Amino acid sequence: MTDKKWIDLGMKYGGFMAQDHIFLENRLAALTDVKDKRLLVTPPASVLNAYFAELYQKRSPKDATDYFFELSKAFDIFEENPDFQLEGKNGYENFRFIRLNLSGKSFGFSYKNDAEEAIIFSEFPVKVTAELMFEIAQIFPHYLLVEEEGKLTMKPAQFQSEFEKVKDLTALTEQAENGEYIRLAGYNIEDLLEQAEEIGFLSPLCFGRDGRKHFIYITKGF
């Protein structure tokens, strides 16, 4: 990659401005290692989190995650096993993540691959509850959240077909389905969980959100 492309990346994602152009040119010219150049133009954690928060509040959750995902691809900031202690550590110099406060506890959010699959991880050991998962689903309504093998992972809420066969299970919860999932929708978390338990499931539950309505997705075929 040419130094000009590194400068363009720094201007687009790294918090640098037009007046930083000469600085970047000189610093990049003095560096020969690609890792060093990437690290120079990767935004500091504080800049990344501030810009993410601004996009989230002033535009939308999707605009904020789109920014972070594109940045993660541009700087190859994918991590299968993210941890708060990795930031700045040898071998993880450009690792970055978004900080979250969930139920008064410290969590992080980062992407694991270029398929836009993400991981939510806690700074300290914490018990994963349905209430916590509904809280995360509320923050990221355009993703599906699932707990698998002790990890909280997210993926875009994209479905192969529309949900049909809509019916009321109770006054509070309705059921629909497509080729992949049985979907439970409602405004009351306790009733949703109770109906999911009555249906029975062997696969992990997926959690989602749309406006004030909560969703639970039960995978078919398991």
Side-chain angles (χ1 to χ4, degrees):
M1 186 183 294
T2 65
D3 284 354
K4 181 183 182 306
K5 290 185 176 179
W6 285 118
I7 292 172
D8 291 343
L9 282 178
M11 296 290 185
K12 184 175 182 179
Y13 297 112
F16 292 98
M17 304 178 72
Q19 57 263 40
D20 299 313
H21 199 281
I22 298 299
F23 166 80
L24 286 173
E25 276 188 345
N26 290 333
R27 292 299 305 129
L28 287 165
L31 301 173
T32 57
D33 193 296
V34 170
K35 289 183 179 180
D36 291 336
K37 294 187 177 188
R38 180 184 293 119
L39 182 59
L40 174 66
V41 298
T42 301
S46 57
V47 172
L48 168 61
N49 276 268
Y51 194 51
F52 181 93
E54 183 176 9
L55 286 172
Y56 189 100
Q57 293 164 9
K58 294 184 177 179
R59 296 188 186 178
S60 71
K62 189 174 187 309
D63 282 317
T65 56
D66 282 350
Y67 158 72
F68 184 40
F69 179 57
E70 293 302 320
L71 181 147
S72 296
K73 287 196 294 184
F75 295 108
D76 192 23
I77 308 177
F78 296 122
E79 180 54 50
E80 288 276 348
N81 298 293
D83 189 287
F84 273 71
Q85 303 307 314
L86 291 183
E87 256 188 349
K89 191 174 181 180
N90 223 15
Y92 298 90
E93 289 85 356
N94 76 320
F95 172 66
R96 301 287 188 273
F97 64 91
I98 301 300
R99 285 165 165 75
L100 304 171
N101 186 312
L102 302 172
S103 299
K105 294 181 173 59
S106 181
F107 284 78
F109 151 54
S110 66
Y111 287 100
K112 62 184 291 190
N113 56 40
D114 60 6
E116 204 176 342
E117 294 179 314
I119 297 178
I120 303 289
F121 55 101
S122 175
E123 182 174 10
F124 304 106
V126 65
K127 181 181 179 181
V128 176
T129 63
E131 288 73 21
L132 173 63
M133 296 185 75
F134 278 118
E135 183 179 357
I136 297 170
Q138 182 174 357
I139 296 171
F140 301 108
H142 53 299
Y143 285 120
L144 289 183
L145 175 71
V146 63
E147 181 187 10
E148 295 179 296
E149 298 178 356
K151 288 185 177 180
L152 289 172
T153 61
M154 297 193 305
K155 64 179 181 179
Q158 299 169 350
F159 304 101
Q160 296 178 4
S161 57
E162 295 294 322
F163 284 89
E164 301 174 332
K165 302 179 182 178
V166 180
K167 65 179 182 180
D168 291 330
L169 295 181
T170 69
L172 299 173
T173 299
E174 69 176 24
Q175 175 183 314
E177 58 183 281
N178 66 6
E180 301 171 272
Y181 298 99
I182 296 171
R183 184 186 72 187
L184 305 181
Y187 301 97
N188 185 283
I189 294 174
E190 290 75 17
D191 194 62
L192 278 172
L193 292 170
E194 183 178 329
Q195 295 307 312
E197 187 174 346
E198 285 191 15
I199 291 172
F201 57 91
L202 297 176
S203 58
L205 291 177
C206 296
F207 291 75
R209 176 81 177 223
D210 184 8
R212 293 176 56 239
K213 187 176 286 188
H214 303 286
F215 293 107
I216 289 179
Y217 298 86
I218 301 171
T219 306
K220 287 183 171 182
F222 293 89

